[in-house]
Amino acid sequence: MRIAVTIFLTDETIAPVRLARELEARGYAGLYLPEHTHIPVERTTPYPAGGDLPREYGRTLDPFVALGQAAAVTERLGLGTGITLVAQHDPIALAKQIATLDHLSGGRCTLGLGYGWNVEEAADHGVDWRTRRELVRDRTRLMQALWAAEPTAYEGEFGSVRASEAHPKPVQKARGPVTGPRTLVGGAAGPKLFAHIAEYADGWLPIGGRGLAESLPVLRTAWADAGRDPAALQVVPYAVLPTPGKLAHYADLGIEEAVLQLPPAGEKEVLEVLDAYAAFL
């Protein structure tokens, strides 16, 4: 099983360049970074994990800038987002950012995308919370049109783009209905999520990995019903606090990659955790 990591990189943590070099030297498969543009102080949305919202949420580095730094000092390390809040971006500009990172890194980019949980943050971006899932789907399809090999127009419910010259292109070739970098969708298990994954993504990025034994057969059915290749489905448990038993369980389910959670800490603490996690490599 490939072992990657995720971390809230901030202005107070280990730097992206230092972390990326250490990950590649130790044999980790990838680095995934979350995204929050800002956290409104006057918020009513409860923190999904309960309690006070941790400090790092309001201090995260821009994931694409940080991953660009990581790309420049590594050769093999996967570079992913977990997750990109697609609803909070202009999709034409975002498509350019993602394609550029993938091109410059030699095809090492994974687009982990999702719908978000912070209503106030999304509202400041003009997002209607009730339709955010449909907005993310629409903007992802628009980006995929820009990533197509030939100029391709897209007309959606929330936006459109003319057939355009849009380079660079992501390295990975089209597979089934998907163009662009490896694309994984985060979110809680359910028929709507699984239908969207089967329509426009390569797989699922479930936080924590709980309940996979029950959810995977449902996802695989939705995938097959959409005419997708069963062997192509990718499921990557995300932000996992690992134990040998948990990772063995994932392997029994046919999972080939897991993303372990690192603390949002300074260099010394992060490197100590990396050394501890090395037992799982």
Side-chain angles (χ1 to χ4, degrees):
M1 181 180 295
R2 300 189 305 277
I3 300 296
V5 300
T6 183
I7 181 174
F8 277 86
L9 285 181
T10 76
D11 56 326
E12 300 176 327
T13 66
I14 187 172
V17 166
R18 175 70 165 144
L19 177 59
R21 284 173 168 154
E22 292 292 337
L23 289 171
E24 184 153 278
R26 286 167 162 79
Y28 284 87
L31 171 63
Y32 290 72
L33 298 181
E35 175 181 44
H36 285 283
T37 54
H38 67 301
I39 300 294
V41 174
E42 294 183 6
R43 63 185 189 84
T44 58
T45 308
Y47 176 42
D52 294 334
L53 185 67
R55 175 182 177 86
E56 60 266 20
Y57 277 76
R59 308 187 74 95
T60 54
L61 302 184
D62 179 279
F64 293 104
V65 175
L67 289 170
Q69 283 200 332
V73 297
T74 57
E75 296 180 352
R76 301 176 304 280
L77 188 71
L79 308 161
T81 57
I83 58 165
T84 298
L85 296 167
V86 173
Q88 298 180 185
H89 287 269
D90 176 289
I92 298 173
L94 181 60
K96 175 70 76 173
Q97 283 181 278
I98 294 166
T100 299
L101 175 63
D102 196 60
H103 169 73
L104 292 177
S105 67
R108 290 186 276 149
C109 182
T110 291
L111 173 62
L113 62 86
Y115 311 108
W117 60 268
N118 192 315
V119 177
E120 294 75 46
E121 178 185 356
D124 283 349
H125 288 278
V127 176
D128 182 339
W129 195 248
R130 298 167 301 171
T131 58
R132 72 192 189 284
R133 289 176 178 267
E134 289 72 24
L135 176 61
V136 168
R137 172 195 173 275
D138 200 58
R139 288 185 171 174
T140 303
R141 297 303 265 163
L142 187 155
M143 291 193 296
Q144 291 175 340
L146 288 169
W147 294 330
E150 299 297 331
T152 302
Y154 179 79
E155 183 72 38
E157 180 182 358
F158 299 95
S160 62
V161 67
R162 297 172 176 84
S164 303
E165 294 292 345
H167 297 266
K169 300 296 185 185
V171 173
Q172 190 167 347
K173 302 303 181 184
R175 57 268 173 215
V178 184
T179 57
R182 182 172 73 146
T183 301
L184 305 174
V185 182
K192 191 169 189 177
L193 177 76
F194 291 166
H196 281 198
I197 289 171
E199 178 189 355
Y200 64 80
D202 296 298
W204 186 24
L205 197 66
I207 294 178
R210 289 184 180 179
L212 285 177
E214 295 76 28
S215 299
L216 277 178
V218 182
L219 173 57
R220 286 169 175 151
T221 296
W223 186 265
D225 288 347
R228 304 292 299 275
D229 177 4
L233 176 62
Q234 301 179 50
V235 176
V236 182
Y238 187 77
V240 172
L241 296 176
T243 66
K246 187 182 294 186
L247 296 182
H249 174 61
Y250 294 161
D252 289 342
L253 294 174
I255 288 169
E256 297 179 348
E257 180 182 0
V259 183
L260 311 187
Q261 182 70 61
L262 292 175
E267 183 173 309
K268 182 176 183 295
E269 182 177 347
V270 169
L271 296 185
E272 287 174 350
V273 176
L274 284 182
D275 288 338
Y277 284 173
F280 302 114
L281 294 176

